[in-house]
Amino acid sequence: MAKRKEENFFSPENAKRPRQEELDDFDKDGDEDECTVSFTNGTSTLTAAEVGIIESIQLRNFMCHSMLGPFKFGSNVNFVVGNNGSGKSAVLTALIVGLGGKAVATNRGSSLKGFVKDGQNSADISITLRNRGDDAYRANVYGNSIVVQQHISMDGSRSYKLKSETGTVVSTRKEELIAILDHFNIQVDNPVSVLTQEMSKQFLQSKNEGDKYKVRNTKFFMKATQLEQMKEDYSYIMETKERTKEQINQGEERLIELKRQCLEKEERFQSIAGLSTMKTNLEYLKHEMAWAVVNEIEKQLNAIRDNIKIGEDRAARLDRKMEEQQVRLNEAEKKYKDIQDKLEKISQETNARAPECMALKTDVTAKKRTYNEAEVLYNRSLNEYRALMKDDEQLCKRIEELKKSTDQSLEPERLERQKKISWLKERVKALQDQESSINQEIEQFQQAIEKDKEERVRIKREELDVKHILSYNQRQLKELKDSKTDRLKRFGPHVPALLEAIDDAYRRGRFTCKPIGPLGACIHLRDPELALAIESCLKGLLQAYCCHNHADERVLQALMEKFYSRGTSRPQIIVSEFRNEMYDVRHRAAYHPDFPTVLTALEIDNAVVANSLIDMRSIETVLLIKSNSVARAVMQSQKPPKNCREAFTADGDQVFAGRYYSSENTRPKFLSKDVDSEISDLENEVENKKAQILNLQQHLSTLEKDIKRNEEFLRRRQIHYRELKVKITESISEIRELENIEEHQSVDIATLEDEAQENKIKMKMVEKNMEQQKENMEHLKNLKIEAENKYDAIKQKINQLSDLAEPLKDELNLADSEVDNQKRGKRHYEEKQKEHLDTLNKKKRELDMKEKELEEKMSQARQICPERIEVKKSASILDKEINRLRQKIQAEHASHGDREEIMRLYQEARETYLDLDNKVRTLKRFIKLLEEIMTHRYKTYQQFRRCLTLRCKLYFDNLLSQRAYCGKMNFDHKNETLSISVQPGEGNRAAFNDMRALSGGERSFSTVCFILSLWSIAESPFRCLDEFDVYMDMVNRRIAMDMILKMADSQRFRQFILLTPQSMSSLPSSKLIRILRMSDPERGQTTLPFRPVTREEEEDRS
């Protein structure tokens, strides 16, 4: 094995001399890129690279890795060490793709979407490029670093973000990235800059000499030295030259034709004679024509002035009528206001008495209830007193009977009877308790039955209401579905047929003017959310029709009778004279800066429709406010806007200054634009109503069952109650019979006398209590009568006020109608006045325009003829004479041609010929100069290629000598082949061998020498090699490593990134060398640890 050479192949003289500025900047840089230690003892200290090198790379969801990086690279030599699958080649692939390279250039796939990790939607690459020193790219924008971020989607598309050092996005255009790469001279598809593992293998295993010259149709040597780009530029220039020659040939052919045309026009120009006499006469007629036009305009001006004077007199008369109408309107409004004030006063008085009336009514009710309770107590005491009286009579009678009785022999029988009476009384008490319990149960069942019956009545009423709503919704749903094919059916099923009948009658001449309607079909909403509000405002007017006069109304009524039967409601017919212009309502319209009126919320193309709605509903005075609370605030919490009488909300509620009426409708019927949505909502509502009816019917069935069950229970309890009543009556009767048996009476007289005495005491107490209750009852009765009298008095006063208000309401309606009539009359005069003033102003504008026109015509006439000519002929006669004279001149021109036109055509043809001739001469000079330049440049290109070839051979031979190898390179630029022969061993003992005859290690070493030779003659800020030593033995690997490190030491302004699976423990210690070791991937690992390895850790591992 040959001895390793220790001397340096590259001398300091051959190294690129660093600039002084770079050395200064390098000394100031205090990070890990700072370097003053050389690899060998002969090289001088060089500065680190300032632009174009890679500072860091970070990957996410790229290839099979969830997260790699960020990788911090050194400025000179970087070794990326790791076993297969750890992600070394992924870093190199990301570098190519991230800097704009194509997927095929990586030899890892044919499409970018193949680089997205399985199961992920996208992949991201972030590359940071150094941007320092004088050669920095837009340093004021990017700063010291340029961050290139690329986002790759699953569909294979990608996007860029170019950020500054601070993270600010500067550009997202690929053109900016290309400009940066061109500025830094970075070529990621150049095998000298980035040599992938696959390309290296192909190069090593190639059996064709042309593959060394070009690899996979990418010229290896030509691409590395950028000679390929120069060659392509030359080819493009030669193609351009050939196209220019074709243009010259076409121009020369065109020149021949232009020269012929120019000669023809020159001959025609020479044959023209003058027509001065006729032209002179024509000029004089033009002078007369100019002043004749002035005379006619002056006559028109006089007529307009007369019309304006008449119009001003009529305007004064209209002003007087307007004033008179305003007086009548003020009187009508004053009368309306007086009546309204009276009504308001009555209403206030009624409202003021209403609380007192309610209080008195409540007091009467309470006193009636108190009196009734006292009466009940009195009656109860009276009944008690009567019962005591009866008992007293019976006791006295009994005592007398006992005293008369002398027979004392029946004592045992009396005791037995007394015992039975006691037992019967206990039995009666037990039965009475049962009776009370049964009675309570009967009351409970009766209440339950009554409650269920009330609930049944309520549910039946609710079911009937829901059925009515369901029927209405079904009819409306049918109308909506029909309106999908014909929108007019929304206004009634007979409307399309009625409109056809109207059209037919109008064609037959039965109408003076064709009726317009329905009005809802002639209007359009500006805001669909206000549909319900506008429908609530216009109501039946949406289905109404307009007629020009009463005769047309009668014809329309006759037509409607065919479609609407008697007794059914028909659309309203409005009779009003048709006008082509809409009323001017600006002076009487309501205005609010935030809310529109009904008039401004509608788009109405027909003036008749707008005028009818203004007349019938005063839509210019009705505001539309979407929010209910806002509407109350605007109309009631503060003074309503000027001219505003009422407002409507989006829910259809009507708001006045002192009243608020809720709408019964929940959705628009005629003006909704989204018919499908309305149909869907109605279908849902129909289904909901059907389900509601079903639920009500089920509830009703349950109630019926409960009522029947409770009635059965009640019937049983009532039978039991009657049975108990019978038993109690029988027992009481038996007790009385036993007590009334005279011969068996044995009651103790003393006991009965004591009982009689107690009974008398009770009678006195009850009698005293009765007297007190009677006095209290009389007192309460007086209070009740007094309260009833007060209530009847105030109720009578309220009724009297209501009676007074009724005729005032009628008067108010009449006054309101009078105000509307006066307003309509005033509006009529205002419109007449406006129409007349518009006509008058139009006449005045016409007068101004005529005066300006007169000035212009006089100015034009003076320009044509400075002195005014007395013209007797009219302008029309002069115009005919001018036309006859022009026809004569044109006839002469037709025979000889127009001199000016022929001269113009001649000049144009001559200028076109000379211009094209000049262009052809210029192109010929350009082609000649281009051929001279291209000849010189191609010679220079061949010389430059020859020099690069010689340098490459020299470097290759010197690098082989590191292992005492001999070799040679043969370039055939014509056939684009490169043959490399290498002789391992010493001297010339053996013949030169082809690369195919070498061992794997020898071939790898030769390849490294070839690549280093290309590095020496090619410019690039960084160089990347992937597994360059894969087939080398330890000796060749060490020699190749030393050669690479020597080159790196001599080229510290460049960056070297070397990927290898081998251990780098034998490397010399230097701050310029950075080893980046990648750990073996583990199962489930998402982020690979990546950090610099120190020299001590490397030695420990080895």
Side-chain angles (χ1 to χ4, degrees):
M1 183 177 292
K3 182 180 178 181
R4 257 180 65 207
K5 295 186 179 181
E6 300 294 338
E7 67 273 17
N8 293 326
F9 173 73
F10 297 106
S11 64
E13 293 77 15
N14 294 332
K16 183 176 180 181
R17 178 174 297 176
R19 294 179 304 195
Q20 186 61 36
E21 295 84 359
E22 293 174 343
L23 292 173
D24 295 341
D25 292 342
F26 185 78
D27 291 338
K28 295 176 182 178
D29 190 0
D31 59 8
E32 70 277 10
D33 293 335
E34 183 176 333
C35 177
T36 56
V37 181
S38 63
F39 297 129
T40 57
N41 294 328
T43 59
S44 61
T45 302
L46 299 177
T47 184
E50 291 184 335
V51 295
I53 68 170
I54 302 169
E55 291 185 345
S56 67
I57 300 178
Q58 184 173 5
L59 314 179
R60 186 175 68 85
N61 297 331
F62 189 78
M63 296 178 69
C64 59
H65 305 284
S66 297
M67 184 67 72
L68 281 178
F71 310 137
K72 303 290 185 180
F73 291 104
S75 62
N76 195 227
V77 179
N78 298 271
F79 285 95
V80 181
V81 180
N83 293 327
N84 292 334
S86 60
K88 302 189 303 300
S89 299
V91 175
L92 193 63
T93 303
L95 177 64
I96 298 173
V97 175
L99 294 180
K102 297 180 180 179
V104 294
T106 65
N107 295 309
R108 290 300 185 102
S110 59
S111 175
L112 290 175
K113 61 183 179 183
F115 295 126
V116 180
K117 184 181 178 182
D118 292 340
Q120 301 296 326
N121 295 326
S122 61
D124 294 291
I125 304 171
S126 180
I127 301 174
T128 304
L129 302 177
R130 182 169 292 180
N131 188 45
R132 303 177 183 174
D134 295 338
D135 293 335
Y137 179 81
R138 299 176 66 186
N140 58 334
V141 176
Y142 287 97
N144 292 332
S145 300
I146 299 176
V147 180
V148 181
Q149 290 184 352
Q150 183 175 149
H151 180 81
I152 303 174
S153 302
M154 275 296 295
D155 57 359
S157 62
R158 59 180 171 184
S159 59
Y160 296 92
K161 284 185 180 179
L162 302 176
K163 297 184 177 180
S164 66
E165 181 184 16
T166 60
T168 304
V169 178
V170 177
S171 176
T172 58
R173 299 170 62 250
K174 187 176 181 181
E175 289 77 6
E176 178 74 3
L177 176 61
I178 294 173
I180 293 171
L181 298 180
D182 290 343
H183 184 81
F184 293 158
N185 196 24
I186 295 175
Q187 304 175 28
V188 291
D189 57 347
N190 192 333
V192 174
S193 295
V194 181
L195 185 61
T196 62
Q197 182 180 353
E198 186 67 23
M199 188 174 291
S200 175
K201 183 192 296 184
Q202 291 177 2
F203 184 81
L204 288 172
Q205 296 177 356
S206 72
K207 299 180 181 180
N208 187 359
E209 294 179 351
D211 291 340
K212 299 178 180 60
Y213 196 88
K214 54 181 180 179
V215 179
R216 294 185 68 178
N217 294 327
T218 302
K219 298 178 174 58
F220 198 96
F221 173 75
M222 298 289 284
K223 187 78 173 181
T225 57
Q226 294 183 319
L227 290 173
E228 181 184 6
Q229 183 64 40
M230 295 174 64
K231 186 175 181 181
E232 290 176 355
D233 291 342
Y234 294 156
S235 299
Y236 175 75
I237 292 172
M238 296 306 293
E239 291 175 0
T240 304
K241 186 185 74 172
E242 293 300 323
R243 289 196 297 270
T244 306
K245 285 184 177 180
E246 292 178 1
Q247 292 178 1
I248 292 173
N249 294 333
Q250 294 174 0
E252 289 177 342
E253 293 176 359
R254 178 67 177 156
L255 273 175
I256 297 172
E257 177 66 20
L258 288 176
K259 187 174 182 179
R260 183 185 62 79
Q261 293 177 2
C262 185
L263 292 175
E264 289 178 357
K265 292 195 172 42
E266 185 177 5
E267 291 176 358
R268 188 177 179 188
F269 173 70
Q270 298 297 332
S271 63
I272 295 298
L275 302 171
S276 58
T277 304
M278 284 190 290
K279 289 183 179 181
T280 302
N281 294 335
L282 181 62
E283 287 299 319
Y284 183 75
L285 288 174
K286 286 180 180 180
H287 293 174
E288 288 187 330
M289 181 67 177
W291 288 107
V293 171
V294 171
N295 292 339
E296 290 186 357
I297 293 176
E298 287 175 344
K299 292 177 182 178
Q300 294 174 2
L301 273 175
N302 294 330
I304 293 173
R305 288 191 183 102
D306 294 339
N307 290 334
I308 289 174
K309 188 175 183 307
I310 296 170
E312 288 175 346
D313 295 338
R314 187 184 177 194
R317 289 195 301 274
L318 286 174
D319 287 337
R320 289 192 295 273
K321 288 184 179 180
M322 274 287 297
E323 292 173 358
E324 295 172 359
Q325 187 66 31
Q326 184 64 43
V327 171
R328 289 193 291 271
L329 177 60
N330 292 339
E331 292 175 354
E333 288 180 343
K334 184 176 182 303
K335 183 178 179 182
Y336 178 85
K337 184 69 168 59
D338 293 340
I339 298 172
Q340 192 176 34
D341 291 342
K342 291 179 182 178
L343 270 176
E344 187 66 26
K345 186 177 179 181
I346 292 173
S347 177
Q348 290 176 358
E349 188 174 353
T350 304
N351 294 335
R353 293 180 182 275
E356 184 182 359
C357 181
M358 291 300 296
L360 288 173
K361 184 178 180 181
T362 305
D363 186 47
V364 168
T365 304
K367 289 180 176 178
K368 280 184 179 179
R369 184 167 58 252
T370 305
Y371 173 76
N372 293 334
E373 290 173 356
E375 188 177 13
V376 169
L377 290 175
Y378 175 78
N379 292 331
R380 189 179 300 164
S381 298
L382 181 61
N383 292 332
E384 185 180 359
Y385 180 77
R386 289 173 179 172
L388 289 173
M389 286 285 292
K390 186 176 180 181
D391 291 342
D392 184 65
E393 291 176 359
Q394 289 178 355
L395 284 172
C396 291
K397 184 177 180 181
R398 183 64 178 161
I399 289 170
E400 290 294 327
E401 290 175 354
L402 286 175
K403 285 181 179 181
K404 292 177 181 181
S405 177
T406 57
D407 189 3
Q408 299 296 331
S409 62
L410 299 175
E411 185 65 21
E413 188 176 344
R414 184 184 64 80
L415 292 175
E416 182 66 26
R417 200 165 49 245
Q418 188 69 29
K419 184 178 179 182
K420 187 174 183 181
I421 289 171
S422 299
W423 177 81
L424 286 172
K425 285 182 178 181
E426 291 178 357
R427 184 169 181 263
V428 167
K429 185 178 180 183
L431 290 174
Q432 285 176 343
D433 292 339
Q434 290 185 22
E435 177 191 16
S436 176
S437 177
I438 294 297
N439 192 29
Q440 290 180 358
E441 291 182 4
I442 288 173
E443 288 180 358
Q444 290 176 357
F445 281 121
Q446 287 176 341
Q447 290 176 0
I449 291 171
E450 188 66 25
K451 184 179 179 182
D452 288 343
K453 286 183 177 179
E454 291 176 357
E455 181 71 10
R456 180 177 63 183
V457 171
R458 186 189 65 80
I459 290 176
K460 284 185 176 180
R461 190 182 305 113
E462 184 178 354
E463 180 186 11
L464 186 62
D465 294 340
V466 174
K467 285 181 177 179
H468 286 323
I469 295 173
L470 175 62
S471 177
Y472 174 77
N473 288 342
Q474 287 175 337
R475 289 196 305 272
Q476 193 171 359
L477 180 61
K478 183 178 182 302
E479 292 175 0
L480 281 175
K481 288 182 177 180
D482 293 341
S483 69
K484 289 187 68 176
T485 56
D486 190 348
R487 179 173 177 266
L488 294 173
K489 288 186 177 180
R490 298 191 73 175
F491 301 94
H494 306 300
V495 170
L498 176 60
L499 291 178
E500 289 181 4
I502 291 172
D503 291 338
D504 183 60
Y506 179 69
R507 285 193 296 270
R508 295 180 180 179
R510 297 179 64 187
F511 289 110
T512 306
C513 294
K514 181 182 175 182
I516 298 173
L519 298 185
C522 304
I523 62 176
H524 304 282
L525 301 179
R526 299 183 188 273
D527 186 354
E529 294 183 4
L530 297 174
L532 182 57
I534 294 175
E535 281 196 14
S536 299
C537 175
L538 300 181
K539 296 182 180 177
L541 290 175
L542 293 171
Q543 296 174 280
Y545 292 79
C546 295
C547 288
H548 179 65
N549 51 40
H550 291 286
D552 290 348
E553 179 196 13
R554 288 190 290 272
V555 176
L556 183 57
Q557 287 283 11
L559 292 177
M560 285 185 177
E561 289 179 357
K562 299 178 181 178
F563 301 99
Y564 297 93
S565 59
R566 291 187 179 275
T568 59
S569 61
R570 296 184 185 180
Q572 181 181 356
I573 299 177
I574 303 168
V575 180
S576 179
E577 183 181 355
F578 287 1
R579 297 167 57 104
N580 295 327
E581 295 182 358
M582 194 178 80
Y583 297 149
D584 185 4
V585 296
R586 289 175 293 182
H587 60 285
R588 67 171 187 270
Y591 171 74
H592 195 282
D594 299 325
F595 310 112
T597 62
V598 176
L599 179 60
T600 57
L602 294 175
E603 291 183 0
I604 308 176
D605 299 330
N606 195 322
V608 175
V609 176
N611 294 338
S612 298
L613 294 178
I614 290 170
D615 288 336
M616 300 300 296
R617 193 60 183 85
S618 299
I619 59 175
E620 76 280 8
T621 65
V622 182
L623 284 180
L624 298 176
I625 305 173
K626 293 182 180 180
S627 172
N628 297 347
S629 58
V630 176
R632 287 180 182 270
V634 172
M635 297 298 295
Q636 297 177 350
S637 300
Q638 55 191 353
K639 185 178 180 181
K642 183 180 178 182
N643 297 330
C644 179
R645 299 178 58 185
E646 57 185 306
F648 284 86
T649 69
D651 295 332
D653 297 346
Q654 188 176 15
V655 187
F656 291 93
R659 303 184 302 280
Y660 188 97
Y661 300 102
S662 299
S663 174
E664 297 179 356
N665 299 323
T666 58
R667 64 166 59 87
K669 180 180 179 182
F670 303 109
L671 300 180
S672 176
K673 291 186 177 180
D674 192 357
V675 179
D676 293 332
S677 176
E678 287 291 319
I679 290 174
S680 177
D681 292 343
L682 268 178
E683 288 175 344
N684 293 334
E685 190 165 344
V686 166
E687 294 300 323
N688 292 337
K689 293 301 178 185
K690 289 181 178 177
Q692 188 176 354
I693 291 173
L694 183 60
N695 292 335
L696 290 173
Q697 290 174 347
Q698 291 175 353
H699 190 189
L700 198 60
S701 176
T702 304
L703 284 175
E704 292 287 353
K705 292 178 181 177
D706 290 344
I707 291 172
K708 289 181 179 179
R709 185 174 64 253
N710 290 334
E711 286 178 344
E712 179 64 23
F713 288 151
L714 177 62
R715 186 183 63 78
R716 293 177 183 176
R717 291 297 184 275
Q718 287 175 342
I719 293 172
H720 190 192
Y721 179 78
R722 286 194 294 271
E723 291 175 353
L724 287 175
K725 275 286 187 183
V726 171
K727 289 180 180 180
I728 291 171
T729 304
E730 290 177 350
S731 297
I732 292 173
S733 298
E734 188 175 355
I735 289 171
R736 287 177 179 174
E737 288 176 358
L738 290 172
E739 288 177 347
N740 292 330
I741 296 177
E742 295 179 2
E743 63 273 13
H744 299 291
Q745 186 63 265
S746 60
V747 179
D748 187 52
I749 295 174
T751 304
L752 290 175
E753 288 176 349
D754 292 339
E755 186 176 349
Q757 188 64 30
E758 290 177 1
N759 193 50
K760 289 182 184 295
I761 294 170
K762 287 183 181 179
M763 286 175 62
K764 290 180 181 179
M765 292 176 62
V766 170
E767 186 177 3
K768 185 179 180 181
N769 192 23
M770 281 175 58
E771 291 176 358
Q772 293 176 355
Q773 289 176 350
K774 187 173 183 180
E775 291 176 359
N776 186 36
M777 188 174 66
E778 290 296 330
H779 175 67
L780 292 175
K781 184 177 180 180
N782 294 331
L783 292 176
K784 183 191 75 161
I785 293 172
E786 182 182 354
E788 287 176 345
N789 292 335
K790 289 182 180 179
Y791 175 70
D792 291 339
I794 195 167
K795 186 68 176 176
Q796 185 178 2
K797 289 181 181 179
I798 292 175
N799 292 334
Q800 289 174 356
L801 291 173
S802 299
D803 294 339
L804 291 174
E806 288 302 325
L808 286 176
K809 288 180 180 179
D810 296 336
E811 292 180 14
L812 185 66
N813 292 332
L814 293 174
D816 189 29
S817 300
E818 181 64 21
V819 170
D820 288 340
N821 291 334
Q822 297 301 332
K823 284 184 177 179
R824 195 174 294 109
K826 181 185 175 184
R827 189 160 56 243
H828 170 74
Y829 284 116
E830 286 175 347
E831 290 164 359
K832 288 287 186 184
Q833 185 186 40
K834 179 181 177 298
E835 182 179 355
H836 179 67
L837 290 176
D838 290 342
T839 305
L840 187 61
N841 292 330
K842 186 176 180 181
K843 289 290 184 183
K844 290 181 178 179
R845 289 194 297 271
E846 185 180 358
L847 178 63
D848 294 338
M849 292 174 61
K850 283 293 181 182
E851 288 177 347
K852 292 180 181 179
E853 185 181 0
L854 178 62
E855 292 177 0
E856 292 175 359
K857 294 298 181 182
M858 289 186 72
S859 176
Q860 294 174 2
R862 290 192 183 97
Q863 291 177 0
I864 297 172
C865 180
E867 294 183 1
R868 184 160 186 168
I869 303 173
E870 188 67 29
V871 182
K872 295 181 180 180
K873 297 179 181 178
S874 64
S876 59
I877 295 175
L878 289 172
D879 186 55
K880 292 178 181 178
E881 292 181 359
I882 290 172
N883 289 333
R884 284 197 296 270
L885 190 56
R886 280 178 177 166
Q887 289 174 0
K888 289 182 180 180
I889 294 173
Q890 288 174 359
E892 292 296 326
H893 284 166
S895 59
H896 300 287
D898 183 66
R899 180 184 180 88
E900 288 77 7
E901 180 67 18
I902 292 175
M903 185 174 181
R904 184 183 62 80
L905 293 174
Y906 168 66
Q907 291 293 340
E908 288 178 357
R910 187 169 181 276
E911 290 174 0
T912 304
Y913 171 76
L914 294 176
D915 180 60
L916 184 59
D917 183 63
N918 185 37
K919 288 181 180 178
V920 170
R921 294 175 184 274
T922 303
L923 286 175
K924 285 182 177 180
R925 289 194 299 271
F926 169 73
I927 289 297
K928 182 178 180 182
L929 180 61
L930 182 62
E931 288 177 346
E932 294 175 356
I933 293 173
M934 287 302 297
T935 301
H936 174 72
R937 291 298 295 271
Y938 189 68
K939 289 180 180 179
T940 305
Y941 163 75
Q942 290 178 324
Q943 183 178 0
F944 179 61
R945 185 178 61 185
R946 186 166 55 254
C947 291
L948 289 178
T949 302
L950 293 174
R951 286 181 63 192
C952 187
K953 289 180 179 181
L954 175 62
Y955 283 120
F956 182 69
D957 187 55
N958 288 330
L959 289 169
L960 287 176
S961 66
Q962 299 287 324
R963 284 206 61 195
Y965 282 19
C966 294
K968 63 179 179 179
M969 303 173 67
N970 294 324
F971 288 89
D972 186 351
H973 297 296
K974 182 176 181 181
N975 297 320
E976 294 185 342
T977 59
L978 168 61
S979 61
I980 301 176
S981 301
V982 178
Q983 178 189 359
E986 301 178 358
N988 294 322
R989 296 178 182 177
F992 286 100
N993 294 325
D994 188 18
M995 292 284 287
R996 290 172 293 179
L998 301 177
S999 64
E1002 292 170 345
R1003 188 186 304 170
S1004 297
F1005 174 74
S1006 301
T1007 302
V1008 171
C1009 293
F1010 176 60
I1011 292 173
L1012 293 178
S1013 301
L1014 293 177
W1015 281 3
S1016 301
I1017 63 175
E1019 296 291 334
S1020 179
F1022 60 82
R1023 312 182 187 288
C1024 301
L1025 282 178
D1026 187 6
E1027 298 192 7
F1028 63 94
D1029 56 350
V1030 66
Y1031 296 112
M1032 294 185 185
D1033 53 21
M1034 292 300 296
V1035 176
N1036 287 326
R1037 184 179 295 112
R1038 186 173 183 182
I1039 293 173
M1041 188 67 66
D1042 288 344
M1043 293 164 58
I1044 293 173
L1045 292 178
K1046 288 177 183 178
M1047 175 172 285
D1049 186 39
S1050 65
Q1051 298 182 5
R1052 295 187 185 179
F1053 51 86
R1054 289 194 178 93
Q1055 185 183 42
F1056 296 82
I1057 300 174
L1058 308 174
L1059 283 68
T1060 176
Q1062 306 297 329
S1063 173
M1064 294 291 108
S1065 58
S1066 61
L1067 292 175
S1069 177
S1070 172
K1071 291 183 179 180
L1072 290 178
I1073 300 176
R1074 174 171 293 187
I1075 301 175
L1076 305 176
R1077 179 174 297 279
M1078 302 183 71
S1079 302
D1080 294 337
E1082 300 175 1
R1083 186 181 302 273
Q1085 178 174 311
T1086 58
T1087 304
L1088 293 177
F1090 191 83
R1091 63 180 181 86
V1093 180
T1094 62
R1095 181 67 180 178
E1096 290 76 14
E1097 290 176 341
E1098 181 66 27
E1099 290 176 355
D1100 292 341
R1101 291 180 181 178
S1102 62

